[in-house]
Amino acid sequence: MSLLWIPFTIMAAFMQSWRNALQKELRHSVNTTGVTLARFIVALPLAVIYLWCLYQYYPSASIPKFSTKFFSYIFIAAITQIMATIFMVMLFKTRNYAIGVGLAKSEAVIAATLGAIFFAAPLSSTALLGVIIGGIAVWLMSLSHNPQSKNDSQLSIKTIAIGLASGLFFALCSLFIRESSLILRHDFGQNFVISASWTLFFVLFIQTLLLTTYLAITDAHTLKMLYKRKKLTALVSLFSFLGSVGWFTAMSLQSVALVKTLGQIEVLFTLAISVWWFKENLGRNDYLGLMLIVIGAVLVILA
């Protein structure tokens, strides 16, 4: 069971790369908040179906007794993921597709730092080296996509700030997701798949409720635009759901920093999509960054 986090992480990275690409496409016709909601709106009923299927497969599994601490962590995870996604979508407007994702990958390094300080989750020297190498990799790849313009330095500072904010909120979200899942596993004896699925359901429920209510009150037009692009919206939600199943399950088995460092192979998928779909060019730093990502991933697996 100890190595099961690896295939779940790879699945999550692949699905998330396609979700991000589809969100970028949706961004052409829907505003930032609407694109953020697209990530959750269809994923919620899929999470209900997934949870039902799990209980059919594990008939002896019980319904856990949810604590106040669990719901507190869930609420924080839901809010921080919304904020992280909003910053991610903002990145799509300021830089090209690959760099937007690359900057947000600072999440792994931030998660390693915060996990060690606040969640008593220190890393071994080998794992820490892998996380650092992964961080250097995405930074090198971001340099190769630096736009040349008169306002280049200002734009870069703004983009880096937004990217780091996205990485920070994604890191916080991941840490609280893991803690929420561990509460169910430790306190109520649920297996890792059941605990991860309940965590996923409640996070999606809070996110969908908050964003749908907000848009219904302040910007009903955006909801209409999502319905108008319902096929693309459904695809965003589908890939988001499949990616979340992978992330939530992997993080219930392994520390966030290691999961997210291995998950940086998402950049490989992202660059492939960038070249194939968005017709973007790769530079020398991209190939060097990919090599470093592989090295970092091998180190965290060995750790």
Side-chain angles (χ1 to χ4, degrees), residues 56-287:
Q56 301 308 303
Y57 188 79
Y58 298 106
S60 61
S62 61
I63 305 295
K65 297 178 181 178
F66 304 106
S67 64
T68 301
K69 184 178 181 181
F70 171 81
F71 281 118
S72 298
Y73 283 3
I74 285 292
F75 184 78
I76 295 173
I79 297 299
T80 51
Q81 191 173 53
I82 288 175
M83 295 302 300
T85 304
I86 288 174
F87 282 120
M88 171 69 81
V89 176
M90 288 172 62
L91 281 169
F92 293 155
K93 297 189 296 182
T94 58
R95 300 291 288 273
N96 69 27
Y97 172 68
I99 186 54
V101 176
L103 283 170
K105 289 289 116 182
S106 58
E107 172 190 4
V109 177
I110 296 173
T113 304
L114 296 180
I117 296 173
F118 297 107
F119 294 95
L123 300 177
S124 68
S125 57
T126 302
L128 182 60
L129 179 61
V131 172
I132 293 173
I133 289 176
I136 293 173
V138 296
W139 176 252
L140 282 174
M141 296 170 77
S142 73
L143 294 179
S144 71
H145 295 273
N146 192 31
Q148 301 298 320
S149 69
K150 295 180 180 180
N151 298 321
D152 182 59
S153 60
Q154 294 181 353
L155 181 59
S156 296
I157 292 172
K158 176 183 177 182
T159 304
I160 290 171
I162 296 174
L164 289 176
S166 179
L168 172 62
F169 281 111
F170 272 129
L172 289 171
C173 171
S174 298
L175 289 167
F176 280 102
I177 284 172
R178 173 169 168 79
E179 293 301 313
S180 301
S181 185
L182 290 179
I183 287 174
L184 296 186
R185 289 186 66 188
H186 293 164
D187 294 354
F188 308 111
Q190 299 296 323
N191 67 44
F192 69 94
V193 179
I194 295 289
S195 64
S197 63
W198 274 113
T199 303
L200 174 60
F201 165 74
F202 280 114
V203 168
L204 289 173
F205 177 80
I206 293 172
Q207 291 168 333
T208 305
L209 178 64
L210 290 178
L211 281 178
T212 303
T213 302
Y214 172 76
L215 287 175
I217 295 173
T218 65
D219 189 8
H221 175 71
T222 295
L223 294 176
K224 294 179 182 178
M225 290 303 298
L226 285 175
Y227 181 76
K228 186 176 181 180
R229 301 297 306 274
K230 55 183 176 291
K231 290 184 179 179
L232 184 55
T233 299
L235 283 175
V236 170
S237 276
L238 174 62
F239 281 103
S240 178
F241 167 73
L242 293 174
S244 293
V245 169
W247 290 128
F248 280 51
T249 306
M251 289 186 293
S252 72
L253 292 169
Q254 185 55 271
S255 70
V256 172
L258 297 189
V259 170
K260 290 300 183 177
T261 298
L262 177 58
Q264 286 174 341
I265 63 169
E266 174 197 345
V267 178
L268 170 63
F269 302 133
T270 296
L271 288 175
I273 294 170
S274 297
V275 173
W276 175 67
W277 191 357
F278 298 117
K279 309 303 180 184
E280 296 175 355
N281 298 319
L282 301 185
R284 182 177 59 184
N285 284 344
D286 291 318
Y287 295 105

